[in-house]
Amino acid sequence: MSRSITRRAFMVFCGLAFAGTLTLAQAAPVSFEVPLTGAQQVPPVQTPGSGTAKLTYDPSTRVVTWNISFSGLTSPATMAHFHGPAPAGKNAGIKVWLSQKGNMEVTSPITGQATLSPDDAKMFEAGDMYINVHTKDNPNGEIRGQVKPPKGS
């Protein structure tokens, strides 16, 4: 009788351990790129500038890491942010500073990381955030890119 209970307990433990492994595997960090262009600004901005944001996001910790490079802007970059909630074609307020807050001289590349709040993480995962690089000549933003994490992240 006790051998049967021990065997059941072992099977339950193994099942829970396996389920935990699957959960961890599903929450693996994902890396993806976001193109930044003036055409994505609202309203669109005519600019020779462009950029790329290389992002890594870990849904289990809500940590996002960025490396944003840009060139060809019409004037010096002054700041960069995640904005949301907003789908493509809509504007929204600042959610996360990507450049150093208060420093109005931003050079490429911009690197950093942040832990998103639970609400911001939902926005991020749903594709309702965008990256905006602001410049002296285009204070509302010169280049922009909608953040769309790969499906399953």
Side-chain angles (χ1 to χ4, degrees):
M1 177 96 153
S2 69
R3 186 176 183 145
S4 175
I5 292 172
T6 303
R7 194 173 277 166
R8 283 187 195 154
F10 178 75
M11 295 301 284
V12 167
F13 174 77
C14 287
L16 290 173
F18 182 70
T21 301
L22 287 177
T23 301
L24 288 176
Q26 292 172 347
V30 293
S31 296
F32 59 102
E33 291 188 9
V34 177
L36 307 173
T37 65
Q40 293 185 72
Q41 281 295 136
V42 179
V45 171
Q46 294 293 324
T47 177
S50 64
T52 302
K54 294 179 181 178
L55 305 177
T56 300
Y57 177 64
D58 186 339
S60 65
T61 61
R62 301 186 321 271
V63 172
V64 61
T65 303
W66 58 86
N67 184 324
I68 302 167
S69 59
F70 52 87
S71 62
L73 301 176
T74 59
S75 60
T78 56
M79 59 188 130
H81 317 97
F82 280 121
H83 291 253
K90 301 289 182 184
N91 289 323
I94 297 168
K95 284 294 179 182
V96 177
W97 279 77
L98 302 174
S99 58
Q100 184 180 356
K101 190 173 184 176
N103 181 2
M104 298 300 279
E105 294 179 20
V106 179
T107 58
S108 178
I110 304 168
T111 59
Q113 74 173 32
T115 301
L116 301 177
S117 72
D119 288 341
D120 288 351
K122 287 178 188 174
M123 241 182 280
F124 186 93
E125 292 170 14
D128 285 334
M129 279 193 175
Y130 61 91
I131 293 170
N132 213 352
V133 177
H134 305 258
T135 63
K136 184 178 178 189
D137 289 349
N138 291 285
N140 292 328
E142 184 161 332
I143 56 175
R144 169 180 165 158
Q146 196 71 27
V147 175
K148 295 179 186 174
K151 297 290 184 206
S153 61

